[in-house]
Amino acid sequence: MAMFKSLSLVQTADLIAAVGHLRTVLASGEMGIGKSSILKMMQKMPQFKDYIFCYVDLTTKDVGDFTVPKIRTVDGVEVCSFIPNEEFGLHFKGKKVVMMLDELGKAKGGVLNACLRLMLERQLGMYTLDGIIFATTNLSVEGLGDNIPPHVRNRIIQVRVAKPDFMSMIEYAIANSWHPVVIGTMREFPQMLASFEDYEKPEMNVLINDPRTVRLACVTPRSLHAASDLITHTAILGDDVLWHAMTGTVGEPAMHHMMTIYKLDTQLVSWEDLINNPTTVTVPTNGAAACMLIAKAIQRIEKSTMDAFMDFLPRLSKEAQGLFGRSVMSKTCPKQNVAATNTRFAVWAAENNYVFGKTK
């Protein structure tokens, strides 16, 4: 087994932040796992608060899109100079830039060649970039058209980005207000976040993308986010609309799993009952049900109801309690301040500080 097989998205972003001003990091990974979101992750890093962020989609670029000719006079002689596309951010005087070259492996012919000096020397024509450059690409084995020759790879730092595991995705989903049904489905069916490389045959996991077979829709972190939007905004249109659209989003096998959890969600205790009777209301014992309850709680807690919820929290399993604590204190959670300013939560957090240890 290969050592140091892959990095998480967070680890990849940290690597880019540390060395990206000198060397271009290429983040390679399966489709739909959030590689492009690294740019947004870096926007939240305090050391880059004054930087300009540039998203360069190389699938839409031809060689002529990098620079265009402009006639000017130098020492009385007309010359042809080239000015850069504003998408690269090289026109910002006195500003540093974080540039993402997205889909590097799909850049063909001259476009890929046009990126070489930019990635190695931070130079595009006569213009020099002051800042960070990184790139993303899919795996060549996925059959999506990504191909990077050896002489290009020799100019960059290659990183394999791992698919997030189900607990990391659950914590991310809760902190970003995904629909509880999607969160519960991930908890109950963690194999939907596995990699095709974990299986000898594609039929061993029919939920995910596998380049060895054809699946019109499959589960990825990206399609799970879309599934959350579907349930949130289209459930009122009826089951026919919702589940047909869900099949075209995550595939039929995953749709059936999600439908099962959707029905389970209707059997959970209501938020009103939980707040009014926190010490006697029924506690879910199923892992998926507990995840859905935690997701709902984080979306609905307010300063006026936090004490009541803290009466209920210790009745949950330690795993569920830890999930609540880590998720509500995530930097992206809109209810972080509600918990952070609650005295009883502070006492609980001090007594259970081990649950805030980093997860993979």
Side-chain angles (χ1 to χ4, degrees):
M1 180 179 293
M3 296 180 64
F4 313 116
K5 186 177 180 180
S6 60
L7 298 180
S8 69
L9 284 168
V10 173
Q11 290 173 321
T12 303
D14 288 341
L15 173 65
I16 294 168
V19 76
H21 62 295
L22 297 172
R23 298 291 171 182
T24 297
V25 174
L26 173 64
S28 305
E30 294 182 41
M31 72 173 192
I33 65 171
K35 299 181 295 296
S36 300
S37 69
I38 293 174
L39 189 67
K40 293 182 179 179
M41 295 168 65
M42 297 186 69
Q43 284 179 296
K44 297 176 181 177
M45 294 181 178
Q47 65 267 43
F48 300 124
K49 63 183 180 67
D50 296 323
Y51 280 58
I52 302 295
F53 290 82
C54 299
Y55 186 133
V56 181
D57 182 359
L58 292 177
T59 64
T60 65
K61 297 293 179 290
D62 205 342
V63 177
D65 296 321
F66 280 67
T67 58
V68 294
K70 179 181 179 181
I71 304 301
R72 64 191 182 105
T73 301
V74 177
D75 296 332
V77 179
E78 286 189 334
V79 298
C80 178
S81 62
F82 289 83
I83 57 176
N85 187 325
E86 69 172 354
E87 198 169 325
F88 293 93
L90 298 174
H91 59 289
F92 292 107
K93 299 296 183 182
K95 288 283 188 178
K96 292 188 176 183
V97 172
V98 176
M99 181 192 299
M100 177 175 69
L101 299 174
D102 198 28
E103 303 284 13
L104 182 71
K106 296 181 179 67
K108 302 304 180 184
V111 175
L112 185 59
N113 291 335
C115 294
L116 297 185
R117 192 179 179 204
L118 181 61
M119 292 191 295
L120 183 63
E121 301 177 18
R122 305 306 191 256
Q123 194 84 15
L124 185 62
M126 300 298 292
Y127 292 80
T128 302
L129 179 137
D130 185 8
I132 286 174
I133 298 176
F134 72 97
T136 71
T137 192
N138 290 107
L139 304 178
S140 58
V141 296
E142 290 182 281
L144 302 175
D146 295 78
N147 181 39
I148 301 177
H151 75 285
V152 178
R153 294 183 181 275
N154 189 245
R155 288 171 162 84
I156 56 183
I157 297 173
Q158 302 173 71
V159 169
R160 172 66 183 271
V161 182
K163 288 185 80 169
D165 60 66
F166 78 98
M167 279 307 300
S168 297
M169 276 305 305
I170 285 172
E171 291 179 19
Y172 173 85
I174 290 176
N176 288 276
S177 302
W178 285 21
H179 197 282
V181 167
V182 176
I183 294 168
T185 306
M186 288 191 287
R187 176 61 180 82
E188 192 70 8
F189 304 99
Q191 64 270 30
M192 63 174 44
L193 287 163
S195 170
F196 67 87
E197 294 180 324
D198 297 334
Y199 301 95
E200 292 182 5
K201 300 177 180 179
E203 56 266 27
M204 296 173 70
N205 189 335
V206 298
L207 300 171
I208 61 176
N209 178 59
D210 193 312
R212 294 169 292 185
T213 190
V214 177
R215 289 172 183 158
L216 298 182
C218 62
V219 174
T220 66
R222 179 168 56 204
S223 64
L224 286 172
H225 194 175
S228 172
D229 291 340
L230 266 178
I231 299 176
T232 300
H233 297 287
T234 68
I236 59 173
L237 300 178
D239 285 353
D240 286 349
V241 173
L242 172 59
W243 300 116
H244 177 80
M246 190 66 72
T247 300
T249 304
V250 296
E252 186 172 356
M255 178 275 289
H256 287 297
H257 289 332
M258 211 160 286
M259 185 187 295
T260 300
I261 301 301
Y262 187 81
K263 293 176 180 177
L264 174 64
D265 183 47
T266 63
Q267 302 169 15
L268 288 178
V269 62
S270 71
W271 178 248
E272 290 72 20
D273 284 346
L274 189 154
I275 294 302
N276 291 329
N277 306 286
T279 59
T280 59
V281 74
T282 302
V283 177
T285 56
N286 176 273
C291 282
M292 287 191 287
L293 189 148
I294 292 298
K296 289 182 177 180
I298 290 178
Q299 292 173 16
R300 300 194 63 174
I301 54 170
E302 301 293 346
K303 291 186 177 182
S304 60
T305 57
M306 188 64 188
D307 280 343
F309 183 75
M310 290 307 301
D311 284 332
F312 175 79
L313 183 64
R315 300 179 63 203
L316 292 170
S317 67
K318 284 295 184 181
E319 179 188 19
Q321 291 183 51
L323 177 61
F324 174 81
R326 290 190 300 273
S327 300
V328 79
M329 292 307 294
S330 167
K331 293 179 181 179
T332 60
C333 182
K335 297 301 179 72
Q336 184 190 62
N337 188 59
V338 173
T341 56
N342 183 272
T343 302
R344 295 185 59 187
F345 178 81
V347 172
W348 173 88
E351 294 174 348
N352 299 271
N353 57 15
Y354 64 91
V355 305
F356 294 97
K358 287 187 176 182
T359 58
K360 291 183 180 180

